Amino acid sequence: MNEIRQRLPRTREKRRGALTAFYGDSAALADELEKEETRQRIRTYSETGDDEVIGAIRLLGRIRGSVTIIHSPPGCGAIKLEDELRAGGSPWLITNIEENDSILGADDKLREAVDRAYRTWRPEIIFILATPVVAINNDDIQSAATEKEDQYGIPVVPVYAAGFRSKTAVYGYDLVFHALAKYVLKKDPDALPLPAVNLIGTAGTKTSHIIRDLDGAGISYNNLSGSLSIAALKQSLNAFASIAIDKDDSRFLLEWLEEAHGIVHLEETAPIGLAGTERWLLAAARSAGAAGSAEQVRAYIEEAKAAAVTDLEWHRLDGASVFIDLPPEQAFGVAEFVEELGGKVAALSLTHADSSHVVRLREWAGRSNPQVFIQQGQPFEKINALGKLKPDLYIGRGEAAVWAARAGIAAAAVDSVDVYGFGGVQELAPLLTKALRNPSLSRYLSAGSSSYRAGWLSKSVNWHIKQEVK
């Protein structure tokens, strides 16, 4: 994989034509992403949105035995990073770059931060996360990292997140995996093959249900989900195959393992819903060396499905129109589950979309051909779309679900729900039907005045989305 020789991986826009602004139906988006060069769009007005720095922070915070040094000034940007890290995870420091540092360099502060991190936590690995100011003043992070690595005898790994190279937050995951592949994950020629499948899930992915399913089906796995360990990452180089819980987050790692080490990654959809979980488990079981007996796998799936189907009879959506607002892989999986419950998918609101999603978009074009909005962090566009579509139910994350409720739409927030596996079926279905059958909160919230003026809301949903001019 030639990108490992480079200082940075290519952005999702360059590698896969990723779009972060779009309005149209599923078929139109698939047509666009199949072109040799996608037509990038920009917003003439934008409220907020995560960037690659936030994406990198989310993943770094999930690596056990690590300390992250954020080479950054204090202030609003650092506070945002602090909020992300306080959600849990590994320790961190900020170097607090000041005005003089941004001109003269802050190499000494960086070295002091590495010293403090090592003395305080004795970590297994230290990450140095560059930020936009560092990208501008060009501090020599690599020299500091090499010096301290030699001094302490542990990996000190630079991660170059400028914050403005890509408009997709998932590029931050690419940057972290690229750094790990470049500096840390070296194959031991004496290591024995690992008769297991790599189970890959990254920043904050809940995995208790799907791990229970893997154990019940007798499928051997190397756990690279939730909280990651360096040992498991190194073991991944010896596994027979890889399967992701969410391919969007882990795309770079999956492709690198296949291209550099011949570890095929299984292109299966997220294990959400009855059919999705069954397909995913069967794919994992078919990977060489990853399964117990075929009879055990099939028997477990049939037993788990039977238990879930009984519960689902009480949680039908009965033709309700649904607006799904989640990252792509989750959105497609939840959408399929909505149909299993008898609902109709009216719209998909995604954080981004790229060429890896074309197959799923084509599938949905042949079903209900739902509207697709790509609008991460743009509540004014979301409110506009909800007002025009008037769905019966909104499914998304907590902060955005509040906006849907204020628009008078029954809303289900799935942040705290483990949506994966057969256990996820039994956890998610009651949440959806409860929201649909108890709309009193949304009625109450919608009785107040709107957060946006009528003039804004009367415009088309894509009013502020324009084709980029080169």
Side-chain angles (χ1 to χ4, degrees):
M1 194 172 189
N2 292 332
E3 291 195 14
I4 297 302
R5 301 191 184 99
Q6 307 302 318
R7 185 166 177 261
L8 297 166
R10 288 177 297 162
T11 64
R12 292 286 178 109
E13 287 88 343
K14 290 182 179 179
R15 289 173 61 212
R16 292 190 168 273
L19 295 175
T20 53
F22 181 84
Y23 167 62
D25 59 32
S26 182
L29 180 55
D31 289 342
E32 179 66 29
L33 292 172
E34 283 185 325
K35 293 179 180 177
E36 185 174 341
E37 184 175 354
T38 54
R39 298 183 301 166
Q40 289 296 326
R41 289 138 172 97
I42 60 174
R43 284 185 168 86
T44 56
Y45 175 80
S46 180
E47 287 187 287
T48 184
D50 292 343
D51 63 11
E52 66 202 57
V53 178
I54 299 299
I57 286 292
R58 286 179 178 152
L59 182 49
L60 290 171
R62 306 300 297 179
I63 298 176
R64 297 201 304 271
S66 73
V67 174
T68 298
I69 296 172
I70 304 168
H71 198 28
S72 162
C76 295
I79 290 171
K80 175 62 176 171
L81 300 179
E82 178 180 348
D83 289 342
E84 292 292 340
L85 287 171
R86 285 192 183 278
S90 59
W92 56 279
L93 297 171
I94 292 180
T95 53
N96 289 336
I97 295 174
E98 298 175 345
E99 290 180 3
N100 287 343
D101 301 323
S102 65
I103 298 170
L104 302 176
D107 294 1
D108 290 341
K109 279 190 171 181
L110 178 57
R111 287 176 170 84
E112 290 172 8
V114 176
D115 292 338
R116 176 175 293 187
Y118 185 80
R119 289 195 308 268
T120 304
W121 290 288
R122 290 293 195 273
E124 184 180 351
I125 186 170
I126 294 174
F127 294 99
I128 300 173
L129 180 65
T131 52
V133 170
V134 177
I136 294 170
N137 72 9
N138 203 30
D139 272 0
D140 189 0
I141 292 177
Q142 183 64 66
S143 294
T146 301
E147 174 190 321
K148 293 302 177 181
E149 183 169 305
D150 292 341
Q151 180 178 346
Y152 293 120
I154 63 170
V156 180
V157 179
V159 179
Y160 297 99
F164 47 72
R165 294 191 183 96
S166 174
K167 294 180 181 178
T168 64
V170 290
Y171 181 58
Y173 302 148
D174 296 350
L175 291 169
V176 174
F177 284 130
H178 175 273
L180 285 166
K182 186 177 181 70
Y183 299 108
V184 181
L185 302 181
K186 309 299 181 184
K187 189 159 187 173
D188 181 355
D190 298 324
L192 296 175
L194 181 67
V197 61
N198 288 321
L199 171 65
I200 300 180
T202 53
T205 305
K206 295 180 175 64
T207 60
S208 59
H209 294 323
I210 198 63
I211 285 177
R212 187 181 303 119
D213 290 333
L214 287 165
D215 290 338
I219 300 172
S220 301
Y221 57 91
N222 176 40
N223 195 350
L224 290 169
S225 63
S227 182
L228 311 181
S229 73
I230 297 299
L233 283 163
K234 290 180 177 179
Q235 281 274 53
S236 70
L237 306 182
N238 306 307
F240 284 5
S242 298
I243 190 166
I245 299 172
D246 186 330
K247 294 193 297 291
D248 286 323
D249 292 356
S250 52
R251 176 69 63 180
F252 186 92
L253 179 61
L254 290 165
E255 293 179 349
W256 176 73
L257 286 170
E258 182 165 8
E259 293 176 25
H261 298 283
I263 301 166
V264 65
H265 72 275
L266 308 175
E267 282 284 1
E268 191 47 75
T269 57
I272 299 174
L274 293 174
T277 299
E278 179 177 6
R279 287 196 307 267
W280 191 92
L281 285 172
L282 289 173
R286 284 193 298 268
S287 61
S293 69
E295 293 78 10
Q296 181 182 357
V297 174
R298 176 53 64 187
Y300 175 80
I301 289 174
E302 293 305 321
E303 181 181 353
K305 278 175 60 179
V309 167
T310 301
D311 289 343
L312 294 186
E313 290 303 316
W314 299 94
H315 301 291
R316 305 295 298 171
L317 294 179
D318 297 328
S321 62
V322 182
F323 187 109
I324 299 170
D325 182 18
L326 290 167
E329 286 294 319
Q330 282 191 11
F332 293 131
V334 170
E336 185 174 4
F337 185 46
V338 163
E339 284 201 342
E340 286 181 336
L341 294 176
K344 179 181 179 182
V345 179
L348 300 169
S349 176
L350 311 177
T351 54
H352 72 284
D354 61 38
S355 58
S356 69
H357 303 125
V358 168
V359 172
R360 300 307 306 276
L361 289 166
R362 286 286 179 220
E363 289 175 2
W364 281 100
R367 292 179 173 181
S368 57
N369 198 25
Q371 294 294 294
V372 181
F373 307 95
I374 303 180
Q375 52 182 356
Q376 182 185 26
Q378 308 303 318
F380 76 101
E381 291 181 11
K382 204 180 309 292
I383 289 289
N384 192 335
L386 289 168
K388 290 178 169 58
L389 287 173
K390 294 181 172 54
D392 299 309
L393 176 65
Y394 169 94
I395 304 172
R397 295 179 173 173
E399 183 178 348
V402 171
W403 292 102
R406 291 193 65 176
I409 296 164
V414 299
D415 306 58
S416 60
V417 178
D418 182 352
V419 301
Y420 301 106
F422 290 119
V425 168
Q426 294 170 300
E427 194 171 341
L428 182 57
L431 179 72
L432 304 185
T433 51
K434 182 179 179 181
L436 191 59
R437 294 166 185 171
N438 297 277
S440 55
L441 176 61
S442 57
R443 282 201 301 262
Y444 172 78
L445 291 175
S446 66
S449 59
S450 172
S451 301
Y452 297 98
R453 294 181 178 179
W456 279 62
L457 301 180
S458 66
K459 298 181 183 298
S460 62
V461 177
N462 64 336
W463 177 265
H464 295 281
I465 298 176
K466 308 297 180 186
Q467 185 176 337
E468 190 173 50
V469 178
K470 296 184 178 180

